[in-house]
Amino acid sequence: EKCNFCAERIAKGLPPACLEACDANAITFGVINDPQSEVRKLLKERYTIRRRPGLGTRPHVFYIV
């Protein structure tokens, strides 16, 4: 099944299950439109890539490399 970012959990105010399960803090989830969020801080400080942005699907999954 394709990931839907745990929409049912987000609707309840809970984090995605993968975020809770990852003990290494390798996954960050947040509101990209919030300039004060941890996600925005990481995107500003680190080099990231997105998979196939040229397809026009506007992916919002960023990989820190």
Side-chain angles (χ1 to χ4, degrees), residues 20-57:
E20 282 189 344
C22 182
D23 292 333
N25 292 325
I27 300 171
T28 301
F29 186 86
V31 180
I32 199 166
N33 294 330
D34 177 3
Q36 303 302 318
S37 71
E38 182 68 22
V39 171
R40 286 290 292 268
K41 186 187 308 181
L42 285 171
L43 291 174
K44 184 178 178 182
E45 295 173 354
R46 307 289 297 271
Y47 178 74
T48 61
I49 60 170
R50 294 185 294 165
R51 299 283 303 196
R52 300 184 176 187
L55 294 178
T57 59

PDB file of all heavy atoms in Angstrom, residues 20-57:
ATOM      1  N   GLU A  20       7.065   7.843  14.858  1.00  0.00           N
ATOM      2  CA  GLU A  20       7.098   7.267  16.202  1.00  0.00           C
ATOM      3  C   GLU A  20       7.993   6.035  16.268  1.00  0.00           C
ATOM      4  O   GLU A  20       8.631   5.780  17.272  1.00  0.00           O
ATOM      5  CB  GLU A  20       5.693   6.883  16.654  1.00  0.00           C
ATOM      6  CG  GLU A  20       4.873   8.061  17.105  1.00  0.00           C
ATOM      7  CD  GLU A  20       3.578   7.634  17.753  1.00  0.00           C
ATOM      8  OE1 GLU A  20       3.155   6.475  17.609  1.00  0.00           O
ATOM      9  OE2 GLU A  20       2.978   8.492  18.420  1.00  0.00           O
ATOM     10  N   ALA A  21       8.042   5.271  15.184  1.00  0.00           N
ATOM     11  CA  ALA A  21       8.797   4.015  15.180  1.00  0.00           C
ATOM     12  C   ALA A  21      10.295   4.214  14.977  1.00  0.00           C
ATOM     13  O   ALA A  21      11.090   3.347  15.328  1.00  0.00           O
ATOM     14  CB  ALA A  21       8.267   3.093  14.095  1.00  0.00           C
ATOM     15  N   CYS A  22      10.702   5.344  14.438  1.00  0.00           N
ATOM     16  CA  CYS A  22      12.109   5.575  14.119  1.00  0.00           C
ATOM     17  C   CYS A  22      12.855   6.115  15.334  1.00  0.00           C
ATOM     18  O   CYS A  22      12.710   7.282  15.696  1.00  0.00           O
ATOM     19  CB  CYS A  22      12.230   6.539  12.944  1.00  0.00           C
ATOM     20  SG  CYS A  22      13.933   6.839  12.460  1.00  0.00           S
ATOM     21  N   ASP A  23      13.679   5.280  15.950  1.00  0.00           N
ATOM     22  CA  ASP A  23      14.452   5.686  17.123  1.00  0.00           C
ATOM     23  C   ASP A  23      15.675   6.531  16.773  1.00  0.00           C
ATOM     24  O   ASP A  23      16.243   7.186  17.629  1.00  0.00           O
ATOM     25  CB  ASP A  23      14.912   4.458  17.913  1.00  0.00           C
ATOM     26  CG  ASP A  23      13.751   3.736  18.555  1.00  0.00           C
ATOM     27  OD1 ASP A  23      12.727   4.379  18.843  1.00  0.00           O
ATOM     28  OD2 ASP A  23      13.871   2.514  18.773  1.00  0.00           O
ATOM     29  N   ALA A  24      16.080   6.509  15.515  1.00  0.00           N
ATOM     30  CA  ALA A  24      17.300   7.202  15.099  1.00  0.00           C
ATOM     31  C   ALA A  24      17.055   8.646  14.664  1.00  0.00           C
ATOM     32  O   ALA A  24      17.975   9.326  14.226  1.00  0.00           O
ATOM     33  CB  ALA A  24      17.950   6.443  13.948  1.00  0.00           C
ATOM     34  N   ASN A  25      15.826   9.122  14.777  1.00  0.00           N
ATOM     35  CA  ASN A  25      15.471  10.478  14.328  1.00  0.00           C
ATOM     36  C   ASN A  25      15.839  10.720  12.865  1.00  0.00           C
ATOM     37  O   ASN A  25      16.243  11.812  12.495  1.00  0.00           O
ATOM     38  CB  ASN A  25      16.116  11.538  15.221  1.00  0.00           C
ATOM     39  CG  ASN A  25      15.539  11.548  16.605  1.00  0.00           C
ATOM     40  OD1 ASN A  25      14.347  11.309  16.789  1.00  0.00           O
ATOM     41  ND2 ASN A  25      16.367  11.790  17.590  1.00  0.00           N
ATOM     42  N   ALA A  26      15.686   9.699  12.053  1.00  0.00           N
ATOM     43  CA  ALA A  26      16.010   9.807  10.637  1.00  0.00           C
ATOM     44  C   ALA A  26      14.850  10.380   9.828  1.00  0.00           C
ATOM     45  O   ALA A  26      15.023  10.712   8.660  1.00  0.00           O
ATOM     46  CB  ALA A  26      16.391   8.436  10.078  1.00  0.00           C
ATOM     47  N   ILE A  27      13.689  10.517  10.450  1.00  0.00           N
ATOM     48  CA  ILE A  27      12.500  11.022   9.768  1.00  0.00           C
ATOM     49  C   ILE A  27      12.017  12.258  10.505  1.00  0.00           C
ATOM     50  O   ILE A  27      11.899  12.270  11.727  1.00  0.00           O
ATOM     51  CB  ILE A  27      11.385   9.960   9.748  1.00  0.00           C
ATOM     52  CG1 ILE A  27      11.861   8.716   9.008  1.00  0.00           C
ATOM     53  CG2 ILE A  27      10.115  10.515   9.122  1.00  0.00           C
ATOM     54  CD1 ILE A  27      10.915   7.541   9.126  1.00  0.00           C
ATOM     55  N   THR A  28      11.738  13.304   9.738  1.00  0.00           N
ATOM     56  CA  THR A  28      11.166  14.516  10.310  1.00  0.00           C
ATOM     57  C   THR A  28       9.895  14.814   9.550  1.00  0.00           C
ATOM     58  O   THR A  28       9.847  14.687   8.331  1.00  0.00           O
ATOM     59  CB  THR A  28      12.138  15.710  10.186  1.00  0.00           C
ATOM     60  OG1 THR A  28      13.351  15.377  10.855  1.00  0.00           O
ATOM     61  CG2 THR A  28      11.565  16.957  10.798  1.00  0.00           C
ATOM     62  N   PHE A  29       8.872  15.220  10.244  1.00  0.00           N
ATOM     63  CA  PHE A  29       7.578  15.498   9.648  1.00  0.00           C
ATOM     64  C   PHE A  29       7.093  16.812  10.199  1.00  0.00           C
ATOM     65  O   PHE A  29       7.243  17.095  11.388  1.00  0.00           O
ATOM     66  CB  PHE A  29       6.599  14.376  10.024  1.00  0.00           C
ATOM     67  CG  PHE A  29       5.265  14.483   9.358  1.00  0.00           C
ATOM     68  CD1 PHE A  29       5.078  13.953   8.094  1.00  0.00           C
ATOM     69  CD2 PHE A  29       4.210  15.107   9.991  1.00  0.00           C
ATOM     70  CE1 PHE A  29       3.847  14.036   7.480  1.00  0.00           C
ATOM     71  CE2 PHE A  29       2.970  15.193   9.382  1.00  0.00           C
ATOM     72  CZ  PHE A  29       2.791  14.660   8.129  1.00  0.00           C
ATOM     73  N   GLY A  30       6.542  17.649   9.350  1.00  0.00           N
ATOM     74  CA  GLY A  30       6.041  18.921   9.841  1.00  0.00           C
ATOM     75  C   GLY A  30       5.390  19.737   8.763  1.00  0.00           C
ATOM     76  O   GLY A  30       5.207  19.285   7.637  1.00  0.00           O
ATOM     77  N   VAL A  31       5.062  20.957   9.112  1.00  0.00           N
ATOM     78  CA  VAL A  31       4.381  21.878   8.215  1.00  0.00           C
ATOM     79  C   VAL A  31       5.429  22.698   7.473  1.00  0.00           C
ATOM     80  O   VAL A  31       6.111  23.532   8.063  1.00  0.00           O
ATOM     81  CB  VAL A  31       3.421  22.801   8.996  1.00  0.00           C
ATOM     82  CG1 VAL A  31       2.723  23.760   8.054  1.00  0.00           C
ATOM     83  CG2 VAL A  31       2.425  21.975   9.774  1.00  0.00           C
ATOM     84  N   ILE A  32       5.542  22.446   6.181  1.00  0.00           N
ATOM     85  CA  ILE A  32       6.572  23.112   5.392  1.00  0.00           C
ATOM     86  C   ILE A  32       6.297  24.605   5.233  1.00  0.00           C
ATOM     87  O   ILE A  32       7.205  25.397   5.021  1.00  0.00           O
ATOM     88  CB  ILE A  32       6.745  22.413   4.032  1.00  0.00           C
ATOM     89  CG1 ILE A  32       8.075  22.790   3.419  1.00  0.00           C
ATOM     90  CG2 ILE A  32       5.593  22.724   3.113  1.00  0.00           C
ATOM     91  CD1 ILE A  32       8.482  21.919   2.271  1.00  0.00           C
ATOM     92  N   ASN A  33       5.042  25.021   5.363  1.00  0.00           N
ATOM     93  CA  ASN A  33       4.687  26.435   5.220  1.00  0.00           C
ATOM     94  C   ASN A  33       4.948  27.248   6.481  1.00  0.00           C
ATOM     95  O   ASN A  33       4.827  28.469   6.454  1.00  0.00           O
ATOM     96  CB  ASN A  33       3.216  26.569   4.819  1.00  0.00           C
ATOM     97  CG  ASN A  33       2.959  26.011   3.441  1.00  0.00           C
ATOM     98  OD1 ASN A  33       3.834  26.032   2.579  1.00  0.00           O
ATOM     99  ND2 ASN A  33       1.775  25.488   3.228  1.00  0.00           N
ATOM    100  N   ASP A  34       5.298  26.587   7.573  1.00  0.00           N
ATOM    101  CA  ASP A  34       5.589  27.278   8.828  1.00  0.00           C
ATOM    102  C   ASP A  34       7.077  27.603   8.882  1.00  0.00           C
ATOM    103  O   ASP A  34       7.909  26.702   9.001  1.00  0.00           O
ATOM    104  CB  ASP A  34       5.198  26.391  10.010  1.00  0.00           C
ATOM    105  CG  ASP A  34       5.534  27.005  11.368  1.00  0.00           C
ATOM    106  OD1 ASP A  34       6.025  28.156  11.412  1.00  0.00           O
ATOM    107  OD2 ASP A  34       5.313  26.322  12.379  1.00  0.00           O
ATOM    108  N   PRO A  35       7.450  28.883   8.787  1.00  0.00           N
ATOM    109  CA  PRO A  35       8.873  29.238   8.768  1.00  0.00           C
ATOM    110  C   PRO A  35       9.632  28.874  10.044  1.00  0.00           C
ATOM    111  O   PRO A  35      10.849  28.802  10.031  1.00  0.00           O
ATOM    112  CB  PRO A  35       8.885  30.753   8.553  1.00  0.00           C
ATOM    113  CG  PRO A  35       7.499  31.213   8.607  1.00  0.00           C
ATOM    114  CD  PRO A  35       6.581  30.039   8.665  1.00  0.00           C
ATOM    115  N   GLN A  36       8.926  28.613  11.146  1.00  0.00           N
ATOM    116  CA  GLN A  36       9.574  28.266  12.412  1.00  0.00           C
ATOM    117  C   GLN A  36       9.669  26.760  12.647  1.00  0.00           C
ATOM    118  O   GLN A  36      10.211  26.331  13.666  1.00  0.00           O
ATOM    119  CB  GLN A  36       8.796  28.901  13.572  1.00  0.00           C
ATOM    120  CG  GLN A  36       8.656  30.406  13.463  1.00  0.00           C
ATOM    121  CD  GLN A  36       9.992  31.114  13.397  1.00  0.00           C
ATOM    122  OE1 GLN A  36      10.920  30.768  14.115  1.00  0.00           O
ATOM    123  NE2 GLN A  36      10.100  32.101  12.533  1.00  0.00           N
ATOM    124  N   SER A  37       9.174  25.950  11.724  1.00  0.00           N
ATOM    125  CA  SER A  37       9.148  24.505  11.937  1.00  0.00           C
ATOM    126  C   SER A  37      10.523  23.871  11.766  1.00  0.00           C
ATOM    127  O   SER A  37      11.406  24.405  11.098  1.00  0.00           O
ATOM    128  CB  SER A  37       8.158  23.841  10.973  1.00  0.00           C
ATOM    129  OG  SER A  37       8.647  23.875   9.649  1.00  0.00           O
ATOM    130  N   GLU A  38      10.677  22.718  12.394  1.00  0.00           N
ATOM    131  CA  GLU A  38      11.929  21.958  12.287  1.00  0.00           C
ATOM    132  C   GLU A  38      12.200  21.567  10.839  1.00  0.00           C
ATOM    133  O   GLU A  38      13.346  21.566  10.388  1.00  0.00           O
ATOM    134  CB  GLU A  38      11.844  20.711  13.170  1.00  0.00           C
ATOM    135  CG  GLU A  38      13.100  19.878  13.174  1.00  0.00           C
ATOM    136  CD  GLU A  38      14.292  20.564  13.845  1.00  0.00           C
ATOM    137  OE1 GLU A  38      14.077  21.484  14.654  1.00  0.00           O
ATOM    138  OE2 GLU A  38      15.430  20.172  13.548  1.00  0.00           O
ATOM    139  N   VAL A  39      11.149  21.269  10.106  1.00  0.00           N
ATOM    140  CA  VAL A  39      11.303  20.889   8.696  1.00  0.00           C
ATOM    141  C   VAL A  39      11.928  22.029   7.898  1.00  0.00           C
ATOM    142  O   VAL A  39      12.867  21.823   7.134  1.00  0.00           O
ATOM    143  CB  VAL A  39       9.938  20.495   8.095  1.00  0.00           C
ATOM    144  CG1 VAL A  39      10.027  20.310   6.600  1.00  0.00           C
ATOM    145  CG2 VAL A  39       9.417  19.252   8.764  1.00  0.00           C
ATOM    146  N   ARG A  40      11.423  23.229   8.071  1.00  0.00           N
ATOM    147  CA  ARG A  40      11.975  24.378   7.347  1.00  0.00           C
ATOM    148  C   ARG A  40      13.427  24.644   7.732  1.00  0.00           C
ATOM    149  O   ARG A  40      14.253  24.995   6.897  1.00  0.00           O
ATOM    150  CB  ARG A  40      11.130  25.631   7.628  1.00  0.00           C
ATOM    151  CG  ARG A  40       9.809  25.646   6.926  1.00  0.00           C
ATOM    152  CD  ARG A  40       9.936  25.840   5.412  1.00  0.00           C
ATOM    153  NE  ARG A  40      10.406  27.136   5.053  1.00  0.00           N
ATOM    154  CZ  ARG A  40       9.642  28.178   4.777  1.00  0.00           C
ATOM    155  NH1 ARG A  40       8.329  28.048   4.808  1.00  0.00           N
ATOM    156  NH2 ARG A  40      10.166  29.324   4.468  1.00  0.00           N
ATOM    157  N   LYS A  41      13.742  24.454   9.008  1.00  0.00           N
ATOM    158  CA  LYS A  41      15.107  24.657   9.462  1.00  0.00           C
ATOM    159  C   LYS A  41      16.048  23.658   8.770  1.00  0.00           C
ATOM    160  O   LYS A  41      17.109  24.026   8.286  1.00  0.00           O
ATOM    161  CB  LYS A  41      15.196  24.490  10.980  1.00  0.00           C
ATOM    162  CG  LYS A  41      16.544  24.836  11.541  1.00  0.00           C
ATOM    163  CD  LYS A  41      16.690  24.517  13.014  1.00  0.00           C
ATOM    164  CE  LYS A  41      15.595  25.086  13.858  1.00  0.00           C
ATOM    165  NZ  LYS A  41      15.784  24.773  15.299  1.00  0.00           N
ATOM    166  N   LEU A  42      15.638  22.402   8.713  1.00  0.00           N
ATOM    167  CA  LEU A  42      16.455  21.385   8.055  1.00  0.00           C
ATOM    168  C   LEU A  42      16.629  21.676   6.567  1.00  0.00           C
ATOM    169  O   LEU A  42      17.724  21.530   6.015  1.00  0.00           O
ATOM    170  CB  LEU A  42      15.840  19.998   8.240  1.00  0.00           C
ATOM    171  CG  LEU A  42      16.003  19.375   9.607  1.00  0.00           C
ATOM    172  CD1 LEU A  42      15.151  18.115   9.708  1.00  0.00           C
ATOM    173  CD2 LEU A  42      17.451  19.063   9.885  1.00  0.00           C
ATOM    174  N   LEU A  43      15.554  22.079   5.904  1.00  0.00           N
ATOM    175  CA  LEU A  43      15.634  22.376   4.476  1.00  0.00           C
ATOM    176  C   LEU A  43      16.553  23.564   4.204  1.00  0.00           C
ATOM    177  O   LEU A  43      17.220  23.615   3.173  1.00  0.00           O
ATOM    178  CB  LEU A  43      14.244  22.650   3.907  1.00  0.00           C
ATOM    179  CG  LEU A  43      13.319  21.449   3.833  1.00  0.00           C
ATOM    180  CD1 LEU A  43      11.927  21.883   3.394  1.00  0.00           C
ATOM    181  CD2 LEU A  43      13.871  20.390   2.913  1.00  0.00           C
ATOM    182  N   LYS A  44      16.586  24.508   5.118  1.00  0.00           N
ATOM    183  CA  LYS A  44      17.444  25.683   4.956  1.00  0.00           C
ATOM    184  C   LYS A  44      18.915  25.349   5.203  1.00  0.00           C
ATOM    185  O   LYS A  44      19.797  25.853   4.513  1.00  0.00           O
ATOM    186  CB  LYS A  44      16.994  26.782   5.917  1.00  0.00           C
ATOM    187  CG  LYS A  44      17.753  28.066   5.777  1.00  0.00           C
ATOM    188  CD  LYS A  44      17.210  29.108   6.734  1.00  0.00           C
ATOM    189  CE  LYS A  44      18.002  30.392   6.620  1.00  0.00           C
ATOM    190  NZ  LYS A  44      17.537  31.401   7.556  1.00  0.00           N
ATOM    191  N   GLU A  45      19.174  24.471   6.182  1.00  0.00           N
ATOM    192  CA  GLU A  45      20.547  24.186   6.602  1.00  0.00           C
ATOM    193  C   GLU A  45      21.217  23.056   5.832  1.00  0.00           C
ATOM    194  O   GLU A  45      22.440  23.000   5.793  1.00  0.00           O
ATOM    195  CB  GLU A  45      20.558  23.827   8.088  1.00  0.00           C
ATOM    196  CG  GLU A  45      20.147  24.957   8.990  1.00  0.00           C
ATOM    197  CD  GLU A  45      19.996  24.538  10.435  1.00  0.00           C
ATOM    198  OE1 GLU A  45      20.096  23.320  10.722  1.00  0.00           O
ATOM    199  OE2 GLU A  45      19.765  25.414  11.283  1.00  0.00           O
ATOM    200  N   ARG A  46      20.464  22.151   5.262  1.00  0.00           N
ATOM    201  CA  ARG A  46      21.033  20.945   4.667  1.00  0.00           C
ATOM    202  C   ARG A  46      20.724  20.869   3.178  1.00  0.00           C
ATOM    203  O   ARG A  46      19.732  21.412   2.700  1.00  0.00           O
ATOM    204  CB  ARG A  46      20.465  19.696   5.357  1.00  0.00           C
ATOM    205  CG  ARG A  46      20.600  19.686   6.870  1.00  0.00           C
ATOM    206  CD  ARG A  46      22.022  19.502   7.363  1.00  0.00           C
ATOM    207  NE  ARG A  46      22.578  18.238   6.987  1.00  0.00           N
ATOM    208  CZ  ARG A  46      22.493  17.114   7.677  1.00  0.00           C
ATOM    209  NH1 ARG A  46      21.857  17.108   8.832  1.00  0.00           N
ATOM    210  NH2 ARG A  46      23.046  16.011   7.252  1.00  0.00           N
ATOM    211  N   TYR A  47      21.559  20.131   2.454  1.00  0.00           N
ATOM    212  CA  TYR A  47      21.336  19.888   1.031  1.00  0.00           C
ATOM    213  C   TYR A  47      20.313  18.762   0.891  1.00  0.00           C
ATOM    214  O   TYR A  47      20.458  17.702   1.501  1.00  0.00           O
ATOM    215  CB  TYR A  47      22.645  19.503   0.348  1.00  0.00           C
ATOM    216  CG  TYR A  47      22.470  19.199  -1.119  1.00  0.00           C
ATOM    217  CD1 TYR A  47      22.264  20.228  -2.025  1.00  0.00           C
ATOM    218  CD2 TYR A  47      22.474  17.892  -1.563  1.00  0.00           C
ATOM    219  CE1 TYR A  47      22.090  19.954  -3.371  1.00  0.00           C
ATOM    220  CE2 TYR A  47      22.301  17.608  -2.912  1.00  0.00           C
ATOM    221  CZ  TYR A  47      22.110  18.640  -3.803  1.00  0.00           C
ATOM    222  OH  TYR A  47      21.920  18.370  -5.133  1.00  0.00           O
ATOM    223  N   THR A  48      19.276  18.998   0.116  1.00  0.00           N
ATOM    224  CA  THR A  48      18.224  17.997  -0.059  1.00  0.00           C
ATOM    225  C   THR A  48      17.929  17.768  -1.534  1.00  0.00           C
ATOM    226  O   THR A  48      18.237  18.615  -2.380  1.00  0.00           O
ATOM    227  CB  THR A  48      16.909  18.433   0.626  1.00  0.00           C
ATOM    228  OG1 THR A  48      16.456  19.649   0.027  1.00  0.00           O
ATOM    229  CG2 THR A  48      17.095  18.630   2.108  1.00  0.00           C
ATOM    230  N   ILE A  49      17.318  16.641  -1.811  1.00  0.00           N
ATOM    231  CA  ILE A  49      16.832  16.349  -3.156  1.00  0.00           C
ATOM    232  C   ILE A  49      15.394  15.851  -3.050  1.00  0.00           C
ATOM    233  O   ILE A  49      14.947  15.424  -1.994  1.00  0.00           O
ATOM    234  CB  ILE A  49      17.699  15.290  -3.877  1.00  0.00           C
ATOM    235  CG1 ILE A  49      17.701  13.970  -3.100  1.00  0.00           C
ATOM    236  CG2 ILE A  49      19.107  15.789  -4.105  1.00  0.00           C
ATOM    237  CD1 ILE A  49      18.334  12.815  -3.852  1.00  0.00           C
ATOM    238  N   ARG A  50      14.673  15.970  -4.160  1.00  0.00           N
ATOM    239  CA  ARG A  50      13.333  15.406  -4.270  1.00  0.00           C
ATOM    240  C   ARG A  50      13.342  14.467  -5.467  1.00  0.00           C
ATOM    241  O   ARG A  50      14.029  14.706  -6.446  1.00  0.00           O
ATOM    242  CB  ARG A  50      12.285  16.496  -4.500  1.00  0.00           C
ATOM    243  CG  ARG A  50      12.135  17.408  -3.321  1.00  0.00           C
ATOM    244  CD  ARG A  50      11.029  18.391  -3.510  1.00  0.00           C
ATOM    245  NE  ARG A  50      11.343  19.319  -4.586  1.00  0.00           N
ATOM    246  CZ  ARG A  50      10.455  20.102  -5.172  1.00  0.00           C
ATOM    247  NH1 ARG A  50       9.199  20.077  -4.795  1.00  0.00           N
ATOM    248  NH2 ARG A  50      10.813  20.915  -6.130  1.00  0.00           N
ATOM    249  N   ARG A  51      12.589  13.404  -5.388  1.00  0.00           N
ATOM    250  CA  ARG A  51      12.532  12.426  -6.461  1.00  0.00           C
ATOM    251  C   ARG A  51      11.627  12.922  -7.586  1.00  0.00           C
ATOM    252  O   ARG A  51      10.470  13.242  -7.348  1.00  0.00           O
ATOM    253  CB  ARG A  51      12.001  11.093  -5.947  1.00  0.00           C
ATOM    254  CG  ARG A  51      12.835  10.453  -4.868  1.00  0.00           C
ATOM    255  CD  ARG A  51      14.054   9.810  -5.379  1.00  0.00           C
ATOM    256  NE  ARG A  51      13.667   8.822  -6.380  1.00  0.00           N
ATOM    257  CZ  ARG A  51      14.424   7.868  -6.823  1.00  0.00           C
ATOM    258  NH1 ARG A  51      15.625   7.754  -6.355  1.00  0.00           N
ATOM    259  NH2 ARG A  51      14.008   7.046  -7.728  1.00  0.00           N
ATOM    260  N   ARG A  52      12.164  13.007  -8.772  1.00  0.00           N
ATOM    261  CA  ARG A  52      11.446  13.310 -10.010  1.00  0.00           C
ATOM    262  C   ARG A  52      10.531  14.534  -9.962  1.00  0.00           C
ATOM    263  O   ARG A  52       9.355  14.461 -10.338  1.00  0.00           O
ATOM    264  CB  ARG A  52      10.660  12.097 -10.453  1.00  0.00           C
ATOM    265  CG  ARG A  52      11.553  10.908 -10.700  1.00  0.00           C
ATOM    266  CD  ARG A  52      10.762   9.775 -11.209  1.00  0.00           C
ATOM    267  NE  ARG A  52      11.660   8.670 -11.526  1.00  0.00           N
ATOM    268  CZ  ARG A  52      11.280   7.576 -12.114  1.00  0.00           C
ATOM    269  NH1 ARG A  52      10.020   7.419 -12.468  1.00  0.00           N
ATOM    270  NH2 ARG A  52      12.137   6.626 -12.363  1.00  0.00           N
ATOM    271  N   PRO A  53      11.031  15.682  -9.561  1.00  0.00           N
ATOM    272  CA  PRO A  53      10.174  16.869  -9.540  1.00  0.00           C
ATOM    273  C   PRO A  53       9.756  17.296 -10.948  1.00  0.00           C
ATOM    274  O   PRO A  53       8.740  17.972 -11.115  1.00  0.00           O
ATOM    275  CB  PRO A  53      11.031  17.937  -8.865  1.00  0.00           C
ATOM    276  CG  PRO A  53      12.426  17.487  -9.086  1.00  0.00           C
ATOM    277  CD  PRO A  53      12.383  15.985  -9.102  1.00  0.00           C
ATOM    278  N   GLY A  54      10.502  16.873 -11.948  1.00  0.00           N
ATOM    279  CA  GLY A  54      10.183  17.219 -13.331  1.00  0.00           C
ATOM    280  C   GLY A  54       8.893  16.617 -13.844  1.00  0.00           C
ATOM    281  O   GLY A  54       8.393  17.016 -14.898  1.00  0.00           O
ATOM    282  N   LEU A  55       8.327  15.662 -13.118  1.00  0.00           N
ATOM    283  CA  LEU A  55       7.065  15.061 -13.541  1.00  0.00           C
ATOM    284  C   LEU A  55       5.867  15.965 -13.260  1.00  0.00           C
ATOM    285  O   LEU A  55       4.761  15.689 -13.687  1.00  0.00           O
ATOM    286  CB  LEU A  55       6.855  13.710 -12.848  1.00  0.00           C
ATOM    287  CG  LEU A  55       7.836  12.609 -13.229  1.00  0.00           C
ATOM    288  CD1 LEU A  55       7.546  11.346 -12.420  1.00  0.00           C
ATOM    289  CD2 LEU A  55       7.745  12.305 -14.718  1.00  0.00           C
ATOM    290  N   GLY A  56       6.108  17.053 -12.520  1.00  0.00           N
ATOM    291  CA  GLY A  56       5.043  18.007 -12.249  1.00  0.00           C
ATOM    292  C   GLY A  56       4.113  17.618 -11.113  1.00  0.00           C
ATOM    293  O   GLY A  56       3.061  18.224 -10.945  1.00  0.00           O
ATOM    294  N   THR A  57       4.486  16.629 -10.319  1.00  0.00           N
ATOM    295  CA  THR A  57       3.623  16.188  -9.218  1.00  0.00           C
ATOM    296  C   THR A  57       3.876  16.953  -7.926  1.00  0.00           C
ATOM    297  O   THR A  57       3.216  16.707  -6.930  1.00  0.00           O
ATOM    298  CB  THR A  57       3.808  14.683  -8.954  1.00  0.00           C
ATOM    299  OG1 THR A  57       5.179  14.442  -8.628  1.00  0.00           O
ATOM    300  CG2 THR A  57       3.391  13.873 -10.158  1.00  0.00           C
TER     301      THR A  57
END
